[in-house]
Amino acid sequence: QSLIDPLWGKGARNHMKAGYLNGLEDAAIDHLVDGFVSKPGPQCELHVHMMGGAVARVPADASAFAHRDAPFVVNMLSRWEDRARDDEHLAWGRNVYASLEEHTTGGAYINFLDDEGAGRVRDAYGPETFARLQAVKAQYDPDNAFRRNQNIPPA
């Protein structure tokens, strides 16, 4: 769990925006290239992770990981230190994602979400899995003590 810790030193400002891609059509690739070219700083990254394989062979309801049929997940990561550049860096990730949105499944990858609200947390799991997780939360954490995360409120 510490392999990339040196990349995440204390004090930096970070923002992630991510979703699943239906594929890598030419238009989506063009948006990714344009996004990379327009990045506001050297620590801004675009990751495209190939899915499929063993992930896709597990039934969707076998675990909390819901979007097993998506071929790719894309993550826009912006990292900077100067508070005065917040707007620029936040806008970059949001704008790149917006340019790709028509190529996404609508789902979200929970580990790459920033503070995007309950709707995107729900998108990360899908309705059936989210309901199952809410039932578990109601049983084991009915007072929602563990809520300082991408929260799933108890049912």
Side-chain angles (χ1 to χ4, degrees):
Q1 296 286 344
S2 63
L3 176 68
I4 63 172
D5 284 358
L7 299 175
W8 297 92
K10 292 185 182 196
R13 306 178 73 69
N14 304 286
H15 181 260
M16 292 184 188
K17 183 89 176 154
Y20 293 96
L21 293 174
N22 290 313
L24 284 177
E25 299 89 8
D26 289 347
I29 292 169
D30 289 343
H31 292 304
L32 288 165
V33 170
D34 291 345
F36 186 78
V37 169
S38 68
K39 66 184 188 150
Q43 293 180 300
C44 295
E45 303 172 3
L46 292 173
H47 301 174
V48 178
H49 302 272
M50 187 172 177
M51 302 297 283
V55 170
R57 288 192 292 270
V58 175
D61 62 353
S63 73
F65 186 80
H67 302 280
R68 295 177 177 279
D69 57 342
F72 300 95
V73 63
V74 62
N75 182 26
M76 280 60 65
L77 167 66
S78 192
R79 182 172 172 77
W80 68 104
E81 309 230 351
D82 182 359
R83 186 179 295 265
R85 298 190 69 198
D86 284 3
D87 290 344
E88 174 187 19
H89 280 263
L90 293 170
W92 174 77
R94 291 173 180 152
N95 291 340
V96 174
Y97 186 81
S99 77
L100 290 167
E101 202 154 17
E102 70 181 286
H103 304 285
T104 69
T105 66
Y109 183 63
I110 196 71
N111 289 353
F112 294 159
L113 291 182
D114 204 349
D115 187 18
E116 297 184 59
R120 287 301 279 165
V121 173
R122 192 176 296 270
D123 292 342
Y125 296 108
E128 296 84 14
T129 301
F130 192 79
R132 286 191 353 247
L133 292 171
Q134 282 190 297
V136 170
K137 186 81 175 254
Q139 181 176 356
Y140 292 101
D141 184 18
D143 297 326
N144 206 18
F146 296 102
R147 65 183 171 275
R148 295 195 53 144
N149 54 14
Q150 303 296 354
N151 190 41
I152 298 169

